[in-house]
Amino acid sequence: MGKPGIDFPGLGVGMVILNQRRVLLYRRLNAPEAGFWNIVGGKVDLMEPASDAARREAQEETGLQIREVQFLGVSEQQLVDDRQHWVSMLYPANDYRGEPSLTEPDKLSDFGWFAKHELPQPLSVFAKAALGLLSSELF
């Protein structure tokens, strides 16, 4: 067998969590793109619907309970420096309960809400792709 994203392309999800035209971003500690700011997300488990995986990953990483999600698009990341390859389904969410927190300090170091004109750097390839798909009404 092998590791998804490393030994063969992995199937992932990303959740773009929005609040008043600001996006929730977390700084990654581990590869791929360690030290980069990113949306929340992760891999899809076998027989798990992608939208459920996106909600699960968002809750694990932020502590938020995501309610309604809609499909945003697909992003493919070929991260040569980290030797990882992911195809990810993306979902925006602005219907959630709770306040974000740092629930996985072994994976993420900082977080915050950012407007389009004040995005932190460096921004991950994954986050750039997801934010590029958002309509101007949302972000």
Side-chain angles (χ1 to χ4, degrees), residues 4 11 16 23 29-30 32 45 49-50 56 63 67 73 80 82 93 102 111 116 119-120 127 136:
L11 178 60
V16 184
V23 63
L29 288 174
N30 307 317
D45 292 333
R56 174 183 52 76
R67 296 181 191 159
V80 177
D82 292 313
L102 194 57
F111 71 96
K116 192 175 204 173
L119 292 172
S136 58

Side-chain angles (χ1 to χ4, degrees), residues 79-110:
L79 305 163
V80 177
D81 290 346
D82 292 313
R83 293 198 33 79
Q84 293 202 28
H85 183 182
W86 291 90
V87 176
S88 299
M89 291 186 251
L90 304 168
Y91 299 87
N94 56 15
D95 185 11
Y96 57 85
R97 196 181 303 177
E99 291 295 323
S101 61
L102 194 57
T103 59
E104 295 186 328
D106 57 319
K107 296 178 183 175
L108 306 166
S109 64
D110 299 295

Side-chain angles (χ1 to χ4, degrees), residues 11 14 16 20 23-25 27 32 36 38-39 43 46 49 58 65 73 79-80 86 97 101-102 112 120-121 134:
L11 178 60
V16 184
Q20 299 178 350
V23 63
L24 181 61
L25 298 174
R27 189 188 303 254
F36 284 62
N38 199 14
I39 62 172
K43 70 177 183 62
L46 183 64
Q65 291 184 331
L79 305 163
V80 177
W86 291 90
R97 196 181 303 177
S101 61
L102 194 57
Q121 298 299 320
L134 288 174

